[in-house]
Amino acid sequence: MELIKTIAEMQRVSASFPAHQKIGFVPTMGYLHAGHLSLVEQSNRQCDITVVSIYVNPAQFSPTEDLSSYPRDLEHDLELLTQYKVDYVFFPTNAEMYPAGYKTWVEVEEISNILCGASRPGHFRGVATIVLKLVNIVKPHLMFMGEKDFQQVTVLKTLLTDLNLKTQIVSCPIVREKNGLAMSSRNVYLNPQERQQARCLSETIRKIQSLYKAGITDSAQLIEAGRKHIRERGGKLDYLSLVDSETLEMMLVSNSRTRIILAVFIGKTRLIDNQALVSR
Amino acid sequence: MELIKTIAEMQRVSASFPAHQKIGFVPTMGYLHAGHLSLVEQSNRQCDITVVSIYVNPAQFSPTEDLSSYPRDLEHDLELLTQYKVDYVFFPTNAEMYPAGYKTWVEVEEISNILCGASRPGHFRGVATIVLKLVNIVKPHLMFMGEKDFQQVTVLKTLLTDLNLKTQIVSCPIVREKNGLAMSSRNVYLNPQERQQARCLSETIRKIQSLYKAGITDSAQLIEAGRKHIRERGGKLDYLSLVDSETLEMMLVSNSRTRIILAVFIGKTRLIDNQALVSR
């Protein structure tokens, strides 16, 4: 496994990849968990070379968010990635990615300003910009991303298509803890009681799925049942929506194209989750 | 010379260019004049393959501007490009470049909102987005652009650097008519009297250059002399600035790094021009 710190070196390496080899890329913010590692496994399976980036991108955090406290453990991350036989780990500094005088930002309109984008203004602008930069540096054929960040995957698929880039996104299923909690680096913020409470996100998804199965298609009714459950478990709802899985538009009447998507504060920690209304 | 209308075909062609060949690209809005052709000549000289695009990008025109009347003559353009031994001409449709559901826009902050950007809100956002798309499609090593659009060149150099693209911009000197008027597709809008008046742009540049040579370095004084000249010739000044040629920041005291840059309405036609304060 080769460690790369500079853009110039990463570009030199990516330019040297043989044309017939398939390059897989897993962009991460580090503090790796089983969700990230499932992406690495997928890349290893589908590609000849796997590049993982570790970069906590300041541009996707608002001033009031948890940038400074975001969990980091590079040493452990590198151990894991060595075990998983990653070929290259790219971990640039902020000065590399946003040097003095940096001015260029990418925005995927409409779908960046709803759901998580409404709660986190500027978040997807930061995500879109850094991922575009990383794609230009690494030049992967396939980019592996977790479905936990469902809106992020939608935003980035739109970005790549709109900007005529050839990189394809492979979105991979959410990896969950035994109790249903979606894996997230932010789960480390939870104390034992909050960890119990946090189950309400996946429980809400299952509740809505079963109500739909029982014949309820009115989204307002499904959402109200979900809200009630989160309230009872002591979560503070940020949003709970039933949206079209392609366009992320709200659906008044739910059907097999619907995605359940939600964000909930458990104590001070904001958690997200989502799932298809009808499991495939 | 091969004509290419679709993005897919242009991408197929650009992916097939041999790795050892240097690809030159000249993006244009068509209605080609000697300025454009000087860029083609430069590309032919420095590169193995030259691609010219002809695309009147609606996203860089505001609703009140001249998109619908912008001059077009594809047949004549193709004749000229055949004479100049261009290898590929890419002329996509709007539906190719901005299909239904298009959402992604790139902004180079600060330098996009001054000078021409102040007079034409959204203009450089449209320019940055289309050029990023074209670069992703054509994948050139060198992109040839005219210095008449000095701010555009600065914006696009910043874009390419910030987004970690390897394409380099080669900016080429302004080509002028015998009377000093900078070549522009929009010159066709001028009636004979206006064409005379339009000389005031280059005259203003020469006047400021000679005042500086005579020892005046106070930018306000230099600008006032220029304003006066344009007023006397019946032009309506949009802006006249003395800026740092790298950063485009206004300079209160001018020196050898200063660029004279201006936009003037002659009748209804908005013309631009610029030159180094000290000619090299």
Side-chain angles (χ1 to χ4, degrees), chain A residues 7-8 11 96-97 99 101-111 125 129 132-134 136-137 139 155 158-166, chain B residues 7-8 11 96-97 99 101-111 125 129 132-134 136-137 139 155 158-166:
Chain A
I7 294 170
Q11 286 182 317
E96 277 282 301
M97 295 311 268
Y102 187 90
K103 291 184 177 63
T104 305
W105 299 97
V106 189
E107 186 119 24
V108 181
E109 293 188 342
E110 299 167 36
I111 53 174
R125 176 177 178 266
T129 302
L132 177 57
K133 284 168 64 70
L134 288 169
N136 287 340
I137 294 165
K139 297 187 187 302
V155 166
T158 306
L159 171 92
L160 295 174
T161 303
D162 281 359
L163 294 182
N164 309 107
L165 286 156
K166 291 298 227 175
Chain B
I7 293 171
Q11 286 182 318
E96 278 280 304
M97 295 310 269
Y102 187 90
K103 292 183 177 63
T104 305
W105 299 96
V106 189
E107 185 119 23
V108 182
E109 293 188 343
E110 300 166 37
I111 53 174
R125 177 177 178 266
T129 302
L132 178 58
K133 284 167 65 69
L134 288 168
N136 286 340
I137 294 165
K139 296 187 189 301
V155 166
T158 306
L159 171 93
L160 295 174
T161 303
D162 281 358
L163 295 181
N164 309 108
L165 287 155
K166 290 297 227 176

Coordinates of all heavy atoms in Angstrom, one line a residue, chain A residues 7-8 11 96-97 99 101-111 125 129 132-134 136-137 139 155 158-166, chain B residues 7-8 11 96-97 99 101-111 125 129 132-134 136-137 139 155 158-166:
Chain A
I7 N -1.0 16.3 -4.2 CA -1.8 16.2 -5.4 C -0.9 15.9 -6.6 O -1.3 15.0 -7.4 CB -2.6 17.6 -5.7 CG1 -3.6 17.8 -4.6 CG2 -3.2 17.6 -7.0 CD1 -4.2 19.2 -4.6
A8 N 0.2 16.5 -6.6 CA 1.1 16.3 -7.7 C 1.5 14.8 -7.8 O 1.5 14.2 -8.9 CB 2.4 17.1 -7.6
Q11 N -1.5 12.7 -8.9 CA -1.7 12.9 -10.3 C -0.7 12.1 -11.2 O -1.0 11.5 -12.2 CB -1.7 14.4 -10.7 CG -3.0 15.1 -10.2 CD -3.0 16.5 -10.6 OE1 -2.0 17.2 -10.5 NE2 -4.2 17.0 -11.0
E96 N -3.1 21.8 0.5 CA -3.0 21.2 -0.9 C -4.4 21.4 -1.6 O -4.4 21.7 -2.8 CB -2.8 19.7 -0.8 CG -1.3 19.3 -0.6 CD -0.6 19.3 -1.9 OE1 -1.0 18.7 -2.9 OE2 0.4 20.1 -2.0
M97 N -5.5 21.1 -0.9 CA -6.8 21.1 -1.5 C -7.4 22.5 -1.7 O -8.0 22.8 -2.7 CB -7.8 20.2 -0.7 CG -7.4 18.8 -0.7 SD -7.0 18.1 -2.3 CE -8.6 17.4 -2.8
P99 N -5.6 25.9 -1.5 CA -4.5 26.8 -1.3 C -5.0 28.2 -1.3 O -6.1 28.5 -1.7 CB -3.6 26.6 -2.6 CG -4.5 26.0 -3.6 CD -5.5 25.2 -2.9
G101 N -6.0 31.8 -2.1 CA -6.5 32.3 -3.3 C -7.5 31.4 -4.0 O -8.0 31.6 -5.1
Y102 N -7.9 30.3 -3.3 CA -8.8 29.3 -3.9 C -10.2 30.0 -4.1 O -10.7 30.7 -3.2 CB -9.0 28.1 -3.0 CG -9.8 27.0 -3.7 CD1 -9.2 26.1 -4.5 CD2 -11.2 27.1 -3.6 CE1 -10.0 25.1 -5.2 CE2 -12.0 26.1 -4.3 CZ -11.4 25.2 -5.1 OH -12.1 24.3 -5.8
K103 N -10.8 29.8 -5.3 CA -12.0 30.6 -5.6 C -13.2 29.8 -6.3 O -14.2 30.3 -6.5 CB -11.7 31.7 -6.6 CG -10.8 32.8 -6.1 CD -10.6 33.9 -7.1 CE -9.8 35.0 -6.6 NZ -8.4 34.7 -6.2
T104 N -13.0 28.5 -6.6 CA -13.9 27.8 -7.5 C -14.8 26.9 -6.8 O -14.3 26.0 -6.0 CB -13.1 27.1 -8.6 OG1 -12.3 28.0 -9.3 CG2 -14.1 26.5 -9.6
W105 N -16.1 27.0 -7.0 CA -17.1 26.2 -6.3 C -18.1 25.7 -7.3 O -18.5 26.3 -8.2 CB -17.8 27.0 -5.2 CG -16.8 27.5 -4.2 CD1 -16.2 28.7 -4.2 CD2 -16.2 26.7 -3.1 NE1 -15.2 28.7 -3.2 CE2 -15.2 27.5 -2.5 CE3 -16.4 25.4 -2.7 CZ2 -14.5 27.1 -1.4 CZ3 -15.7 25.0 -1.6 CH2 -14.7 25.8 -1.0
V106 N -18.6 24.4 -7.0 CA -19.5 23.8 -7.9 C -20.8 23.6 -7.1 O -20.8 23.2 -6.0 CB -19.0 22.4 -8.3 CG1 -19.9 21.8 -9.4 CG2 -17.6 22.5 -8.8
E107 N -21.9 23.9 -7.8 CA -23.2 23.8 -7.2 C -24.2 22.9 -8.0 O -24.3 23.2 -9.2 CB -23.8 25.2 -6.9 CG -25.1 25.2 -6.2 CD -25.0 26.0 -4.8 OE1 -24.1 26.8 -4.7 OE2 -25.8 25.7 -3.9
V108 N -24.8 21.9 -7.4 CA -25.8 21.2 -8.1 C -27.1 21.7 -7.6 O -27.5 21.4 -6.5 CB -25.7 19.6 -7.9 CG1 -26.7 18.9 -8.6 CG2 -24.3 19.2 -8.3
E109 N -27.8 22.5 -8.4 CA -29.0 23.2 -7.9 C -30.2 22.3 -7.6 O -30.2 21.2 -8.0 CB -29.3 24.3 -8.9 CG -28.2 25.4 -9.0 CD -28.6 26.6 -9.9 OE1 -29.6 26.5 -10.7 OE2 -28.0 27.6 -9.8
E110 N -31.1 22.9 -6.9 CA -32.4 22.3 -6.5 C -32.1 21.1 -5.5 O -32.4 21.3 -4.3 CB -33.1 21.7 -7.7 CG -33.5 22.9 -8.7 CD -34.0 22.4 -10.0 OE1 -34.7 21.3 -10.1 OE2 -33.7 23.0 -11.0
I111 N -31.5 20.0 -6.0 CA -31.4 18.8 -5.1 C -30.4 19.1 -4.0 O -30.3 18.3 -3.1 CB -31.1 17.6 -5.8 CG1 -29.8 17.7 -6.7 CG2 -32.2 17.1 -6.7 CD1 -29.4 16.5 -7.4
R125 N -22.5 21.9 -1.7 CA -21.6 22.7 -2.5 C -20.2 22.3 -2.1 O -19.3 22.1 -3.0 CB -21.8 24.2 -2.2 CG -20.9 25.2 -2.8 CD -21.4 26.6 -2.4 NE -20.6 27.7 -2.9 CZ -19.6 28.2 -2.2 NH1 -19.3 27.8 -1.0 NH2 -19.0 29.3 -2.7
T129 N -17.8 20.1 -4.7 CA -16.5 20.7 -5.1 C -15.4 19.8 -4.8 O -14.5 19.5 -5.6 CB -16.3 22.1 -4.4 OG1 -17.4 22.9 -4.8 CG2 -15.0 22.7 -4.8
L132 N -15.4 16.7 -7.1 CA -15.0 17.0 -8.4 C -13.5 17.1 -8.5 O -12.8 16.5 -9.4 CB -15.6 18.3 -8.9 CG -15.2 18.7 -10.3 CD1 -15.5 17.7 -11.4 CD2 -15.9 20.0 -10.7
K133 N -12.9 17.7 -7.5 CA -11.4 17.9 -7.4 C -10.8 16.5 -7.3 O -9.8 16.1 -8.0 CB -11.0 18.7 -6.2 CG -11.2 20.2 -6.5 CD -11.1 21.1 -5.2 CE -9.7 21.1 -4.6 NZ -8.7 21.8 -5.4
L134 N -11.3 15.6 -6.4 CA -10.7 14.3 -6.2 C -10.9 13.5 -7.5 O -9.9 12.7 -7.8 CB -11.4 13.6 -5.0 CG -11.1 14.2 -3.6 CD1 -12.0 13.6 -2.5 CD2 -9.6 13.9 -3.3
N136 N -10.9 14.6 -10.5 CA -10.0 15.1 -11.5 C -8.5 14.6 -11.1 O -7.7 14.5 -12.0 CB -10.0 16.6 -11.5 CG -11.2 17.1 -12.2 OD1 -11.9 16.4 -13.0 ND2 -11.6 18.4 -12.0
I137 N -8.3 14.4 -9.8 CA -6.9 14.1 -9.4 C -6.7 12.5 -9.6 O -5.7 12.1 -10.1 CB -6.7 14.5 -7.9 CG1 -6.7 16.0 -7.8 CG2 -5.4 13.9 -7.4 CD1 -6.8 16.5 -6.4
K139 N -8.9 10.3 -11.2 CA -9.4 9.8 -12.5 C -9.9 8.3 -12.4 O -9.4 7.5 -13.2 CB -8.3 9.9 -13.6 CG -7.9 11.4 -13.9 CD -6.9 11.4 -15.0 CE -6.3 12.8 -15.2 NZ -7.4 13.8 -15.5
V155 N -26.7 13.8 -5.6 CA -26.1 15.1 -6.0 C -24.9 14.7 -6.9 O -24.7 15.4 -8.0 CB -25.7 15.9 -4.8 CG1 -24.7 17.0 -5.2 CG2 -26.9 16.4 -4.1
T158 N -25.6 13.4 -10.4 CA -26.0 14.5 -11.3 C -24.8 15.3 -11.7 O -24.7 15.7 -12.9 CB -27.0 15.4 -10.5 OG1 -28.1 14.6 -10.0 CG2 -27.6 16.5 -11.4
L159 N -23.9 15.6 -10.7 CA -22.7 16.4 -11.0 C -21.9 15.7 -12.2 O -21.5 16.4 -13.1 CB -21.8 16.5 -9.8 CG -20.4 17.0 -9.9 CD1 -20.4 18.5 -9.7 CD2 -19.4 16.4 -9.0
L160 N -21.6 14.4 -12.0 CA -20.8 13.7 -13.0 C -21.4 13.7 -14.4 O -20.8 13.9 -15.4 CB -20.5 12.3 -12.5 CG -19.6 12.2 -11.2 CD1 -19.5 10.8 -10.8 CD2 -18.2 12.8 -11.4
T161 N -22.8 13.5 -14.4 CA -23.5 13.5 -15.7 C -23.5 14.8 -16.3 O -23.1 15.0 -17.5 CB -24.9 13.0 -15.5 OG1 -24.9 11.7 -14.8 CG2 -25.7 12.9 -16.8
D162 N -23.8 15.9 -15.5 CA -23.9 17.2 -16.1 C -22.6 17.7 -16.6 O -22.5 18.4 -17.6 CB -24.5 18.2 -15.0 CG -26.0 18.1 -14.8 OD1 -26.6 17.3 -15.5 OD2 -26.5 18.8 -13.9
L163 N -21.5 17.4 -15.9 CA -20.2 17.9 -16.3 C -19.5 17.0 -17.3 O -18.3 17.2 -17.6 CB -19.3 18.2 -15.1 CG -19.8 19.3 -14.2 CD1 -18.9 19.5 -13.0 CD2 -20.0 20.6 -14.9
N164 N -20.2 15.9 -17.8 CA -19.7 15.1 -18.8 C -18.4 14.3 -18.4 O -17.5 14.1 -19.2 CB -19.4 15.9 -20.1 CG -20.6 16.7 -20.5 OD1 -20.6 17.9 -20.4 ND2 -21.7 16.1 -21.0
L165 N -18.4 13.9 -17.1 CA -17.3 13.1 -16.7 C -17.7 11.6 -16.9 O -18.8 11.2 -16.8 CB -17.0 13.4 -15.2 CG -16.3 14.7 -15.1 CD1 -16.5 15.3 -13.7 CD2 -14.8 14.6 -15.4
K166 N -16.7 10.8 -17.1 CA -16.9 9.4 -17.4 C -17.0 8.5 -16.1 O -17.3 7.3 -16.2 CB -15.8 8.9 -18.3 CG -15.9 9.5 -19.7 CD -17.2 9.1 -20.4 CE -17.0 8.6 -21.8 NZ -18.2 8.1 -22.4
Chain B
I7 N -21.9 14.7 -28.0 CA -20.9 14.6 -26.9 C -20.3 13.2 -27.0 O -19.1 13.0 -26.9 CB -21.6 14.9 -25.6 CG1 -22.0 16.4 -25.5 CG2 -20.6 14.6 -24.4 CD1 -22.8 16.8 -24.3
A8 N -21.2 12.2 -27.1 CA -20.7 10.8 -27.1 C -19.7 10.6 -28.2 O -18.6 9.9 -27.9 CB -21.9 9.9 -27.3
Q11 N -16.5 12.4 -27.3 CA -15.8 11.7 -26.2 C -15.1 10.4 -26.7 O -14.0 10.0 -26.3 CB -16.7 11.3 -25.1 CG -17.1 12.5 -24.3 CD -18.0 12.2 -23.1 OE1 -19.0 11.5 -23.3 NE2 -17.8 12.9 -22.0
E96 N -27.9 18.8 -26.3 CA -26.8 18.0 -25.9 C -26.1 18.6 -24.6 O -25.7 17.9 -23.7 CB -25.7 17.9 -27.0 CG -26.0 16.9 -28.1 CD -25.6 15.5 -27.7 OE1 -24.4 15.3 -27.4 OE2 -26.5 14.6 -27.8
M97 N -25.9 19.9 -24.7 CA -25.1 20.5 -23.6 C -25.8 20.7 -22.3 O -25.3 20.6 -21.2 CB -24.5 21.8 -24.1 CG -23.5 21.6 -25.3 SD -22.2 20.4 -24.9 CE -20.9 21.3 -24.2
P99 N -29.2 19.2 -21.3 CA -30.4 18.4 -21.4 C -31.4 18.7 -20.3 O -31.0 19.3 -19.3 CB -29.9 17.0 -21.3 CG -28.6 17.1 -20.5 CD -28.0 18.4 -20.9
G101 N -33.4 18.8 -17.1 CA -32.9 18.4 -15.7 C -31.5 18.8 -15.4 O -31.0 18.4 -14.4
Y102 N -30.9 19.5 -16.3 CA -29.5 20.0 -16.1 C -29.5 20.9 -14.8 O -30.3 21.8 -14.7 CB -29.0 20.8 -17.3 CG -27.5 21.1 -17.1 CD1 -26.5 20.2 -17.5 CD2 -27.1 22.2 -16.4 CE1 -25.2 20.4 -17.3 CE2 -25.8 22.5 -16.1 CZ -24.8 21.6 -16.6 OH -23.5 21.8 -16.3
K103 N -28.5 20.7 -13.9 CA -28.5 21.4 -12.6 C -27.2 21.9 -12.1 O -27.1 22.6 -11.1 CB -29.0 20.4 -11.5 CG -30.4 20.0 -11.6 CD -30.8 19.1 -10.4 CE -32.2 18.7 -10.4 NZ -32.6 17.9 -11.6
T104 N -26.1 21.6 -12.8 CA -24.7 21.9 -12.2 C -24.0 23.1 -12.8 O -23.9 23.3 -14.0 CB -23.8 20.6 -12.5 OG1 -24.5 19.5 -11.9 CG2 -22.5 20.8 -11.8
W105 N -23.6 24.0 -11.9 CA -23.0 25.2 -12.3 C -21.7 25.5 -11.5 O -21.6 25.1 -10.3 CB -24.0 26.4 -12.0 CG -25.2 26.2 -12.9 CD1 -26.4 25.6 -12.5 CD2 -25.3 26.4 -14.3 NE1 -27.2 25.5 -13.5 CE2 -26.6 26.0 -14.6 CE3 -24.5 27.0 -15.2 CZ2 -27.1 26.1 -15.9 CZ3 -25.0 27.1 -16.5 CH2 -26.3 26.7 -16.9
V106 N -20.7 26.1 -12.2 CA -19.4 26.3 -11.5 C -19.3 27.8 -11.4 O -19.6 28.6 -12.4 CB -18.3 25.8 -12.4 CG1 -17.0 25.8 -11.7 CG2 -18.6 24.3 -12.8
E107 N -18.7 28.2 -10.3 CA -18.5 29.7 -10.1 C -17.1 29.9 -9.6 O -16.7 29.3 -8.6 CB -19.6 30.2 -9.0 CG -19.5 31.6 -8.8 CD -20.9 32.3 -9.2 OE1 -21.9 31.6 -9.2 OE2 -20.9 33.5 -9.4
V108 N -16.4 30.8 -10.3 CA -15.1 31.3 -9.8 C -15.4 32.6 -9.1 O -15.6 33.6 -9.7 CB -14.1 31.4 -10.9 CG1 -12.7 31.8 -10.4 CG2 -14.0 30.1 -11.7
E109 N -15.3 32.6 -7.8 CA -15.8 33.7 -7.0 C -14.8 34.9 -7.1 O -13.7 34.8 -7.5 CB -16.0 33.3 -5.5 CG -17.1 32.3 -5.4 CD -17.4 32.0 -3.9 OE1 -16.6 32.3 -3.0 OE2 -18.6 31.5 -3.7
E110 N -15.3 36.0 -6.7 CA -14.6 37.3 -6.6 C -14.3 37.8 -8.0 O -14.9 38.8 -8.5 CB -13.3 37.2 -5.8 CG -13.6 36.8 -4.4 CD -12.3 36.4 -3.6 OE1 -11.2 37.0 -3.9 OE2 -12.4 35.5 -2.8
I111 N -13.4 37.2 -8.8 CA -13.0 37.7 -10.1 C -14.1 37.6 -11.1 O -14.0 38.1 -12.2 CB -11.7 37.0 -10.6 CG1 -11.8 35.5 -10.6 CG2 -10.5 37.5 -9.8 CD1 -10.6 34.8 -11.2
R125 N -20.2 32.7 -14.8 CA -20.7 31.4 -14.3 C -21.1 30.5 -15.5 O -20.7 29.3 -15.6 CB -22.0 31.6 -13.5 CG -22.7 30.4 -12.9 CD -23.8 31.0 -12.1 NE -24.7 30.0 -11.5 CZ -25.8 29.6 -12.0 NH1 -26.2 30.0 -13.2 NH2 -26.6 28.6 -11.4
T129 N -18.9 27.2 -16.6 CA -19.5 25.9 -16.7 C -19.4 25.3 -18.0 O -19.0 24.1 -18.2 CB -21.0 26.1 -16.3 OG1 -21.2 26.6 -15.0 CG2 -21.8 24.7 -16.4
L132 N -15.7 24.2 -18.6 CA -15.4 22.9 -17.9 C -16.0 21.7 -18.6 O -15.3 20.7 -18.7 CB -15.9 23.1 -16.4 CG -15.7 21.8 -15.5 CD1 -14.2 21.5 -15.4 CD2 -16.3 22.1 -14.2
K133 N -17.2 21.8 -19.0 CA -17.8 20.7 -19.8 C -17.0 20.4 -21.0 O -16.7 19.2 -21.3 CB -19.3 21.0 -20.1 CG -20.3 21.0 -18.9 CD -21.6 21.6 -19.2 CE -22.4 20.9 -20.3 NZ -22.9 19.6 -19.9
L134 N -16.7 21.4 -21.8 CA -15.9 21.2 -23.0 C -14.6 20.6 -22.8 O -14.1 19.7 -23.5 CB -15.8 22.5 -23.8 CG -17.1 23.0 -24.4 CD1 -16.9 24.5 -24.9 CD2 -17.5 22.1 -25.6
N136 N -13.8 18.7 -20.2 CA -14.1 17.3 -19.9 C -14.4 16.4 -21.1 O -14.0 15.2 -21.1 CB -15.2 17.2 -18.9 CG -14.8 17.6 -17.5 OD1 -13.6 17.7 -17.2 ND2 -15.8 18.0 -16.7
I137 N -15.0 17.0 -22.1 CA -15.4 16.2 -23.3 C -14.2 16.1 -24.2 O -13.9 15.0 -24.8 CB -16.5 16.9 -24.0 CG1 -17.8 16.9 -23.1 CG2 -16.8 16.3 -25.4 CD1 -18.9 17.9 -23.6
K139 N -10.8 16.9 -23.6 CA -9.6 16.6 -22.9 C -8.3 17.1 -23.5 O -7.4 16.3 -23.8 CB -9.5 15.0 -22.7 CG -10.6 14.4 -21.9 CD -10.4 12.9 -21.6 CE -11.5 12.3 -21.0 NZ -11.9 12.8 -19.7
V155 N -10.3 34.1 -15.3 CA -11.3 33.2 -14.6 C -11.1 31.7 -15.0 O -11.1 30.9 -14.1 CB -12.8 33.6 -15.1 CG1 -13.8 32.6 -14.7 CG2 -13.1 35.0 -14.5
T158 N -8.0 30.2 -13.4 CA -8.2 29.9 -12.0 C -9.1 28.7 -11.8 O -8.8 27.8 -11.0 CB -9.0 31.1 -11.3 OG1 -8.2 32.3 -11.5 CG2 -9.2 30.9 -9.8
L159 N -10.1 28.6 -12.7 CA -10.9 27.4 -12.7 C -10.1 26.1 -12.8 O -10.2 25.1 -12.1 CB -12.0 27.5 -13.8 CG -12.8 26.2 -14.1 CD1 -14.1 26.3 -13.3 CD2 -13.1 26.1 -15.6
L160 N -9.3 26.1 -13.8 CA -8.5 24.9 -14.2 C -7.5 24.5 -13.0 O -7.4 23.4 -12.7 CB -7.8 25.0 -15.5 CG -8.6 25.2 -16.7 CD1 -7.8 25.5 -18.0 CD2 -9.5 23.9 -17.0
T161 N -6.9 25.5 -12.5 CA -6.0 25.3 -11.4 C -6.7 24.8 -10.1 O -6.4 23.8 -9.5 CB -5.2 26.6 -11.0 OG1 -4.6 27.1 -12.2 CG2 -4.2 26.4 -9.9
D162 N -7.8 25.5 -9.8 CA -8.5 25.2 -8.6 C -9.1 23.8 -8.7 O -9.2 23.0 -7.7 CB -9.7 26.2 -8.3 CG -9.2 27.5 -7.7 OD1 -8.0 27.6 -7.4 OD2 -10.0 28.4 -7.5
L163 N -9.6 23.4 -9.8 CA -10.2 22.1 -9.9 C -9.2 21.0 -10.3 O -9.6 19.8 -10.6 CB -11.4 22.1 -10.9 CG -12.6 23.0 -10.5 CD1 -13.7 23.0 -11.5 CD2 -13.1 22.6 -9.1
N164 N -7.9 21.3 -10.3 CA -6.9 20.3 -10.5 C -6.9 19.6 -11.8 O -6.7 18.4 -12.0 CB -6.9 19.2 -9.4 CG -7.0 19.8 -8.0 OD1 -8.0 19.8 -7.3 ND2 -5.9 20.4 -7.6
L165 N -7.3 20.4 -12.9 CA -7.3 19.9 -14.2 C -5.9 20.2 -14.8 O -5.2 21.2 -14.5 CB -8.4 20.5 -15.0 CG -9.8 20.0 -14.7 CD1 -10.9 21.0 -15.0 CD2 -10.0 18.7 -15.4
K166 N -5.5 19.3 -15.8 CA -4.1 19.4 -16.3 C -4.1 20.3 -17.6 O -3.0 20.6 -18.1 CB -3.6 18.0 -16.7 CG -3.3 17.2 -15.4 CD -2.2 17.8 -14.6 CE -1.2 16.8 -14.2 NZ 0.0 17.4 -13.5

